[in-house]
């Protein structure tokens, strides 16, 4: 179930970023919220694995110890990159290197 939550959050965040992309502040809030929800979901998967062992999502799709570890590390690095990109893009916009349209495209593709 946790993997499906992450996929749903990614699709929802990309759709919201595309639809509400007029204001960069809205995009930043969407990025922060989705990154933190994904990280919390990965942390829950790590906790669930530590309590019950292997996580069985379907008969053909399971998470073992290595899968849960990579899932958490990818979510952690993704959240850090998402949060860092906000400040970086603000600085680039202030210098005039990127426009609001390019920032919108970046945030839609980030998800």
């Amino acid at each position: 179930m946790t993997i499906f939550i992450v996929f749903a959050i990614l699709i929802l965040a990309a759709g919201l970023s595309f639809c509400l992309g007029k204001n960069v502040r809205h995009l930043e809030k969407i990025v922060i919220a989705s990154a933190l929800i994904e990280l919390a979901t990965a942390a829950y998967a790590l906790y669930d694995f530590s309590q019950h062992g292997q996580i069985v999502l379907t008969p053909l799709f399971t998470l073992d110890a290595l899968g849960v570890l990579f899932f958490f590390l990818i979510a952690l690095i993704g959240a850090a990159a998402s949060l860092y990109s906000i400040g970086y893009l603000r600085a680039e916009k202030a210098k005039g290197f990127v426009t609001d349209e390019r920032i919108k495209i970046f945030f839609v593709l980030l998800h």
Side-chain angles (χ1 to χ4, degrees):
M1 186 67 175
T2 56
I3 300 293
F4 299 119
I5 292 172
V6 170
F7 286 139
I9 292 297
L10 289 173
I11 293 169
L12 181 65
L16 284 174
S17 296
F18 184 75
C19 294
L20 302 175
K22 302 284 187 216
N23 189 346
V24 175
R25 297 291 180 196
H26 289 128
L27 291 172
E28 292 172 352
K29 290 176 186 175
I30 292 169
V31 166
I32 291 170
S34 66
L36 294 179
I37 291 170
E38 291 164 12
L39 185 60
T41 305
Y44 175 75
L46 190 63
Y47 170 76
D48 191 32
F49 179 80
S50 69
Q51 297 297 316
H52 303 105
Q54 189 173 22
I55 299 173
V56 178
L57 301 171
T58 67
L60 299 175
F61 189 70
T62 61
L63 287 174
D64 59 355
L66 186 61
V68 170
L69 177 66
F70 275 109
F71 178 44
F72 180 74
L73 288 176
I74 289 169
L76 182 66
I77 293 169
S82 296
L83 296 175
Y84 180 79
S85 70
I86 292 171
Y88 180 79
L89 288 174
R90 282 182 185 171
E92 293 296 305
K93 183 180 174 187
K95 293 177 189 174
F97 291 136
V98 294
T99 62
D100 286 344
E101 184 64 29
R102 300 290 283 181
I103 292 173
K104 176 185 174 182
I105 292 169
F106 174 79
F107 282 135
V108 168
L109 293 176
L110 180 64
H111 301 291

